């Protein structure tokens, strides 16, 4: 073991340019959202960031091709990626947690019900006061189609609920008819999105298997299919958002339902975009012949990310759509 | 690989060396410490007497907000990251941090983040004026425009923390020298590993909280607005889910430092090494499930009040384990009282005191009285200043000779200690009385009955500020013309890999993994305090 030499990279100008880009982007983004500001500074930062990222990844790939990346360093990359994914999980946890809290507790309290039956089902004074004094007329409901604001202020309300929501269409019918109404699920986009994303998790896995076996063509084919599926998913999501805004009256502003719906699916969509981008880069690298059956970290990292995005979607599908 | 540091400014700008980056973190944190300290001086000057004298209430609240944010995120956290950078690779026999370029990135984000944050003070409408806990709707509906700069500053400093902690995790998990098993790692490394885990887990939640704010402010969502079906209390839950682990992020590395220093100056191995590790892990776990003890007065169901009360009290158990272990380590030791040891003994006493006030606060019924009074302010300054800041100071005195090969002036160090110790207690002890008597926090003015103790507290605060100038002077003097130290083992009782490498530590500590020998601790060998069976390491450091 003591024969082994440690690898330490030379100093590098990339990180500080990256930090500068982040600083400019942060400042520019704040400037942009404030009335009277504009997005120019942000775009400058973004341009700088794009250049830095391109250079940085090229450098890492270059080092890898030159065999400078020791097994130990490679393992550090693996750990880095896995813990990064864990941090992403926690980011989503914050939004899922918010949804849970609002649905289970807040909604009941504003509606004058005690809280959850789990603890206590008799309304407390505080809960009834919440309803009697602050939001009279609001009834506990999910999805929130009529906001507390509407319950009190009617058409004057600032926060108006949507006309239609995204939940499973079957809920509109009594349980006895569910079976006969199954066909209503056919045009339901989230179902198709689930099918697409789930299959893409399989195709990326097949690509991985093929790569391990050194079967380059199969690898490229499955990876290509995965990227296309990711792209399809995004198209359908755009269609869904269009539908929501134009036909359902469901927007980011339509009360807590619109808020949680768009924030959760939106952040997920952003991550799908990122994941598709990562896989696309791996596809290009694959076409250039960068991978061998024992050296494939870049691809593996992207595929872990893809599986993570997929799992988040399953959570969304259950919580936001089926039981939405 | 370059053998020494690069020449000129690019050494610092482009560096991938863990020691350089550690130094950058430490100096940055000290600069922020003085900045936050300046804000504190404004606060205490205004509170010197009742009535509004120096600053308007609008500015006063910006000062308390900035003071908290700068001290927590700019001073304490980066100080310990700096120590981690310097010490972890040396302690585990690693050549450097696992991901050196990302390490540089993590640091250089901070100056940008804090430049943005502090610049808000000069913006139209003023800086953040909603307290360091930035509760909605104060920070959303009623916030000045500059809140948007605050939000994005928090975003990038969060990114910095996440990258920094991923780096630490990867280093500890992947870069230990052969034979350095987990249960042989020095406690400082252990506490940092667990802290890094906490950071990766909760920084994203903080990012979520500020993102929700951003959306509510600018894009019409209603997370924190009951009119749309949301709830301002939701903010508090999300914030404290981050916030309570955050206080342990601040204190766990401090525990680690104290667990290194007390054995050295007691000339005894640390008592109960493995119980220290398990206690740290237990504290970290519990810190995720107690957050709403900050919200006893907000109107929670009684079941919630009870649960969070008992869960919080539970934390006192592993914390107690640690305190008893430190005391037992000192028991019948051949103790000498050098400056780092003095700070650590003060840490044990004052931190325990702060733990007890925490226990008082955790009683939900009693907290209805204490909440948002100066009692809470006193509580958290006992744990954060006498806890984290004292241990950070101890760490600097302890390792400074190893870093720069020069010894600090012991007399001046002791002088600083006594000044800091006395001034600290003059400042914060009276705040307990003020709080119990009902003085609310975050106001620029107060009733006449609070006048005497406030004046005492302000005097103490100025003295405490003075002690920091002495600290700065002592450190700079040491680096410039301190007495040169040659021995690898600077302190007689010190144990650990870092004391086997030459003093000052070479720019690249290890070019090859150090050789591990199992057996009794001897001359050139080293055993980890308290680890059984004793395992010794023979380092083969090669400078350059
Ligand atoms: C035995 C351990 C501890 C217990 C039982 C405890 C308990 C509490 C409780 C119940 C509060 C809320 C008081 C209120 O707002 O009414 C509180 C506040 C606080 N604690 Fe602790 N604490 C402990 C240790 C610590 C440690 C180690 C730190 C940090 C190093 C810390 C930092 C804080 C801070 C910063 C606040 C105030 C936050 C704010 O409202 O600005 N505590 N503590
Ligand atoms: Cu807490």
């Amino acid at each position: 073991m003591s024969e082994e030499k440690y690898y330490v990279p030379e100093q590098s100008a990339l990180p500080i340019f990256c930090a500068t880009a982040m600083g400019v982007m942060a400042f520019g983004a704040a400037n942009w959202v404030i009335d009277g500001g504009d997005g120019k500074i942000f775009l400058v930062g973004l341009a700088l960031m794009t250049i830095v990222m391109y250079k940085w990844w090229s450098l890492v790939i270059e080092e890898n091709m030159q065999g400078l990346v020791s097994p130990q360093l490679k393992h550090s990359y693996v750990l880095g990626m896995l813990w990064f994914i864990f941090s992403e999980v926690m980011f989503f946890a914050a939004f899922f947690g918010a949804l849970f809290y609002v649905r289970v507790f807040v909604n009941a309290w504003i509606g004058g019900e005690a809280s959850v039956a789990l603890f206590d089902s008799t309304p407390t004074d505080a809960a009834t006061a919440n309803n009697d004094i602050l939001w009279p007329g609001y009834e506990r409901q999910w999805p929130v189609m009529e906001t507390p604001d509407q319950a009190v202020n009617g058409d004057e309300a600032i926060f108006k609920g949507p006309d239609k929501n995204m939940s499973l269409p079957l809920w509109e019918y009594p349980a006895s008819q569910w079976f006969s109404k199954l066909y209503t699920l056919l045009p339901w986009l989230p179902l198709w999105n689930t099918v697409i994303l789930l299959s893409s998790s399989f195709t990326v896995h097949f690509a991985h298997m093929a790569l391990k076996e050194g079967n380059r063509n199969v690898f490229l084919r499955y990876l290509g299919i995965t990227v296309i599926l990711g792209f399809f998913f995004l198209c359908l999501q755009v269609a869904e958002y269009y539908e929501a805004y134009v036909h359902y009256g469901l927007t980011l502003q339509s009360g807590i339902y619109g808020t949680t719906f768009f924030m959760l699916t939106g952040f997920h969509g952003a991550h799908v975009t990122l994941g598709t981008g990562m896989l696309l880069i791996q596809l290009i690298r694959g076409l250039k012949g960068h991978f061998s059956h024992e050296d494939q970290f870049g691809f593996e990292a992207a595929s872990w990310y893809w599986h993570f995005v997929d799992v988040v979607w399953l959570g969304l599908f259950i919580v936001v759509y089926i039981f939405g | 690989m370059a053998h020494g540091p690069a020449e000129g400014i690019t050494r610092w700008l482009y560096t991938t060396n863990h020691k350089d980056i550690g130094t950058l973190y430490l100096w940055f944190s000290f600069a922020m410490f003085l900045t936050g300290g300046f804000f504190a001086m404004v606060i205490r000057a205004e509170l010197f007497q009742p009535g509004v004298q120096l600053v308007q209430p609008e500015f006063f609240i910006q000062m308390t907000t900035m003071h908290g944010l700068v001290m927590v995120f700019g001073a304490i956290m980066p100080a310990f990251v700096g120590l981690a950078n310097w010490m972890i690779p040396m302690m585990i026999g690693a050549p450097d941090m696992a991901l050196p370029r990302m390490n540089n990135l993590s640091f250089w984000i901070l100056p940008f983040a804090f430049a943005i944050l502090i610049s808000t003070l000069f913006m139209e409408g003023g800086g953040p004026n909603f307290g360091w806990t930035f509760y909605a709707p104060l920070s959303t509906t009623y916030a000045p425009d500059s809140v948007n700069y605050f939000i994005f500053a928090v975003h990038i400093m969060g990114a910095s923390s996440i990258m920094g902690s991923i780096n630490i995790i990867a280093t500890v998990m992947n870069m230990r020298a052969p034979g350095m098993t987990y249960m042989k790692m020095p406690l400082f490394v252990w506490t940092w590993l667990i802290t890094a885990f906490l950071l990766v887990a909760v920084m994203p939640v903080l990012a979520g909280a500020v993102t929700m704010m951003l959306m509510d402010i600018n894009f019409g969502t209603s997370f924190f607005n009951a009119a749309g079906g949301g709830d301002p209390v939701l903010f508090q839950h999300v914030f404290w889910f981050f916030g309570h682990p955050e206080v342990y992020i601040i204190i766990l590395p401090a525990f680690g430092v104290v667990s290194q220093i007390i054995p050295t100056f007691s000339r005894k191995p640390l008592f109960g090494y493995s119980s220290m590790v398990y206690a740290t892990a237990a504290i970290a776990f519990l810190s995720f499930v107690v957050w709403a003890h900050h919200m006893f007065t907000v109107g929670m169901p009684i079941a919630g009040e009870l649960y969070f009360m008992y869960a919080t009290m539970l934390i006192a158990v592993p914390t107690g384990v640690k305190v008893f272990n430190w005391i037992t380590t000192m028991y019948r030791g051949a103790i000498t009282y050098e400056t780092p040891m003095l700070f650590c003994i003060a840490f044990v006493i004052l931190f325990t005191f702060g733990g007890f006030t925490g226990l008082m606060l955790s009683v939900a019924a009693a907290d209805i009285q204490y909440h948002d009074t100066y009692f809470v302010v006193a509580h958290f300054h006992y744990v954060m200043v006498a806890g984290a800041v004292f241990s950070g100071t101890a760490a600097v005195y302890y390792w400074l000779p190893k870093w720069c090969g020069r010894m600090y002036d012991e007399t001046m160090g002791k002088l600083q200690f006594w000044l800091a110790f006395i001034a600290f207690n003059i400042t914060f002890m009276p705040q307990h009385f003020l709080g119990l008597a009902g003085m609310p926090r975050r106001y620029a003015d107060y009733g006449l009955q609070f006048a005497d103790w406030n004046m005492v507290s302000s005097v103490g605060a100025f003295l405490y500020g003075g002690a920091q100038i002495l600290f700065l002077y002592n450190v700079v003097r040491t680096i410039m013309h301190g007495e040169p130290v040659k021995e690898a083992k600077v302190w007689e009782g010190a144990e650990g890999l870092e004391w086997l490498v030459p003093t000052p530590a070479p720019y690249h500590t290890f070019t090859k993994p150090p050789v591990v020998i199992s057996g009794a601790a001897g001359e050139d060998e080293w055993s980890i305090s308290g680890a059984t069976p004793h395992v010794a390491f023979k380092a083969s450091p090669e400078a350059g």
Side-chain angles (χ1 to χ4, degrees), chain B residues 287-355:
Chain B
S287 75
F288 283 108
V289 293
V290 297
W291 74 89
H293 63 219
H294 295 273
M295 302 164 56
F296 284 141
T297 59
V298 87
M300 266 190 294
I302 196 79
E305 302 265 337
L306 288 173
Y307 161 74
F308 282 108
M309 171 167 101
Y310 292 127
T312 302
M313 290 175 171
L314 214 55
I315 297 198
V317 177
T319 312
V321 168
K322 290 190 152 284
V323 172
F324 283 120
N325 280 344
W326 290 321
I327 294 174
T328 319
T329 305
M330 287 189 271
Y331 177 66
R332 304 187 85 170
I335 303 181
T336 47
Y337 299 94
E338 283 85 348
T339 311
M341 184 62 168
L342 287 175
F343 272 104
C344 284
I345 295 175
F347 171 98
V348 175
I349 298 168
L350 298 179
F351 175 79
T352 308
F353 192 96

Side-chain angles (χ1 to χ4, degrees), chain B residues 135-412:
Chain B
Y135 281 9
L138 278 180
S139 61
T140 52
T141 317
Y142 305 106
D145 276 349
S146 65
V147 65
N148 292 297
Y149 289 94
F150 159 83
I151 289 174
F152 286 105
V154 169
H155 265 306
I156 62 175
M157 79 179 72
S160 153
S161 285
I162 291 172
M163 284 189 278
S165 8
I166 289 180
N167 216 335
I168 287 171
I169 295 178
T171 307
V172 176
M173 292 180 77
N174 193 32
M175 309 289 281
R176 281 167 292 125
M180 174 65 76
T181 57
Y182 280 108
M183 289 313 272
K184 286 172 198 152
M185 295 192 310
L187 250 148
F188 180 70
V189 181
W190 254 117
T191 51
W192 244 118
L193 176 63
I194 293 172
T195 304
F197 166 74
L198 287 181
L199 274 166
V200 181
V202 300
M203 279 323 241
V205 177
L206 176 67
V210 290
T211 305
M212 292 176 200
M213 279 167 58
L214 181 77
M215 298 307 289
D216 271 14
I217 295 170
N218 299 298
F219 301 100
T221 56
S222 41
F223 282 111
F224 308 135
N225 196 330
D231 187 352
V233 176
L234 169 63
F235 176 86
Q236 299 187 22
H237 281 294
V238 182
F239 178 83
W240 286 115
F241 187 83
F242 148 80
H244 187 79
E246 167 69 19
V247 308
Y248 283 95
I249 286 164
I250 286 171
I251 205 65
L252 290 184
F255 287 171
V257 166
V258 173
S259 307
Q260 298 299 131
I261 295 179
I262 286 186
T264 295
F265 295 101
S266 309
R267 291 165 183 77
K268 269 178 70 192
L270 182 69
F271 184 86
Y273 171 88
S274 47
S275 69
M276 283 301 219
V277 173
Y278 297 134
T280 311
I283 291 176
F285 170 76
L286 287 175
S287 75
F288 283 108
V289 293
V290 297
W291 74 89
H293 63 219
H294 295 273
M295 302 164 56
F296 284 141
T297 59
V298 87
M300 266 190 294
I302 196 79
E305 302 265 337
L306 288 173
Y307 161 74
F308 282 108
M309 171 167 101
Y310 292 127
T312 302
M313 290 175 171
L314 214 55
I315 297 198
V317 177
T319 312
V321 168
K322 290 190 152 284
V323 172
F324 283 120
N325 280 344
W326 290 321
I327 294 174
T328 319
T329 305
M330 287 189 271
Y331 177 66
R332 304 187 85 170
I335 303 181
T336 47
Y337 299 94
E338 283 85 348
T339 311
M341 184 62 168
L342 287 175
F343 272 104
C344 284
I345 295 175
F347 171 98
V348 175
I349 298 168
L350 298 179
F351 175 79
T352 308
F353 192 96
F356 276 125
T357 53
L359 215 51
M360 289 171 70
L361 290 167
S362 69
V363 181
D367 186 62
I368 310 265
Q369 166 77 17
Y370 308 146
H371 179 66
D372 258 353
T373 68
Y374 263 82
F375 191 79
V376 177
V377 177
H379 158 68
F380 68 72
H381 282 89
Y382 265 75
V383 281
M384 303 228 275
V385 178
V389 177
F390 274 25
S391 98
T393 316
V396 169
Y397 278 120
Y398 183 58
W399 282 310
L400 191 60
K402 176 55 74 180
W403 296 340
C404 66
R406 290 169 188 277
M407 190 44 120
Y408 61 86
D409 183 322
E410 192 63 61
T411 321
M412 215 191 300

Side-chain angles (χ1 to χ4, degrees), chain A residues 1-35 41 53 56 59-60 63 71-77 79-99 101-102 105-107 109-110 114-115 119-120 135 138 142 144 147-150 159 252-260 263 267, chain B residues 1-2 6 10-16 92-96 98-102 104-105 108-109 112-113 116 119 123 145-146 148-150 152-153 155-156 159-160 162-163 166 169-171 173-178 197 200-202 204-205 207-209 211-212 214-216 218-231 233-234 237-238 241 288 295 299-301 303-304 508 510-515 542:
Chain A
M1 273 309 243
S2 56
E3 302 308 307
E4 191 179 306
K5 273 235 166 195
Y6 280 137
Y7 168 73
V8 181
E10 297 290 339
Q11 54 164 233
S12 162
L14 286 169
I16 195 165
F17 279 100
C18 186
T20 311
M22 283 174 81
V24 176
M25 281 168 73
F27 188 88
N31 185 263
W32 199 357
V33 292
I34 293 174
D35 291 339
I41 304 175
M53 279 292 124
W56 197 325
L59 178 69
V60 173
E63 285 172 349
Q72 189 177 37
L73 181 57
K74 220 168 260 179
H75 190 60
S76 291
Y77 287 157
L79 288 170
M81 188 66 196
L82 291 178
W83 286 96
F84 168 66
I85 291 179
F86 174 64
S87 79
E88 293 271 46
V89 169
M90 292 308 293
F91 182 76
F92 276 99
F95 287 88
F96 275 104
L99 174 65
Y101 180 72
V102 167
F105 295 101
V106 177
N107 207 313
W109 290 332
I110 304 181
S115 77
F119 295 126
D120 182 4
W135 308 105
Y138 178 72
W142 194 271
V144 176
T147 63
D149 196 5
Q150 276 173 304
F159 294 100
L252 203 51
Q253 289 85 19
S254 28
I256 195 66
Y257 178 73
T259 298
T260 49
M263 291 303 283
F267 270 119
Chain B
M1 184 167 61
T10 59
R11 164 176 179 185
W12 302 105
L13 298 182
Y14 299 165
T15 184
T16 47
I92 61 174
D96 206 295
L99 303 161
R101 284 185 294 238
M102 192 169 84
N104 176 306
L105 172 60
W108 278 107
I109 290 173
F112 288 100
I116 295 175
S119 72
M123 288 177 185
D145 276 349
S146 65
N148 292 297
Y149 289 94
F150 159 83
F152 286 105
H155 265 306
I156 62 175
S160 153
I162 291 172
M163 284 189 278
I166 289 180
I169 295 178
T171 307
M173 292 180 77
N174 193 32
M175 309 289 281
R176 281 167 292 125
F197 166 74
V200 181
V202 300
V205 177
T211 305
M212 292 176 200
L214 181 77
M215 298 307 289
D216 271 14
N218 299 298
F219 301 100
T221 56
S222 41
F223 282 111
F224 308 135
N225 196 330
D231 187 352
V233 176
L234 169 63
H237 281 294
V238 182
F241 187 83
F288 283 108
M295 302 164 56
M300 266 190 294
H508 296 289
F510 307 102
T511 46
K512 289 191 263 169
V515 184
E542 268 182 24

Side-chain angles (χ1 to χ4, degrees), chain B residues 398-460:
Chain B
Y398 183 58
W399 282 310
L400 191 60
K402 176 55 74 180
W403 296 340
C404 66
R406 290 169 188 277
M407 190 44 120
Y408 61 86
D409 183 322
E410 192 63 61
T411 321
M412 215 191 300
K414 290 205 165 100
L415 182 68
Q416 189 224 328
F417 166 73
W418 285 108
L419 193 58
F421 179 79
I422 294 169
F424 169 81
N425 283 293
I426 299 180
T427 313
F428 294 106
M429 187 60 79
Q431 296 188 359
H432 292 104
F433 314 143
L434 287 170
L436 291 177
M439 177 172 165
R441 59 193 283 207
R442 290 176 175 151
Y443 283 87
D445 193 3
Y446 48 82
L448 290 180
Q449 72 272 31
F450 304 125
D452 295 348
W453 283 129
N454 265 302
M455 195 175 279
V456 173
S457 179
S458 288
V459 170

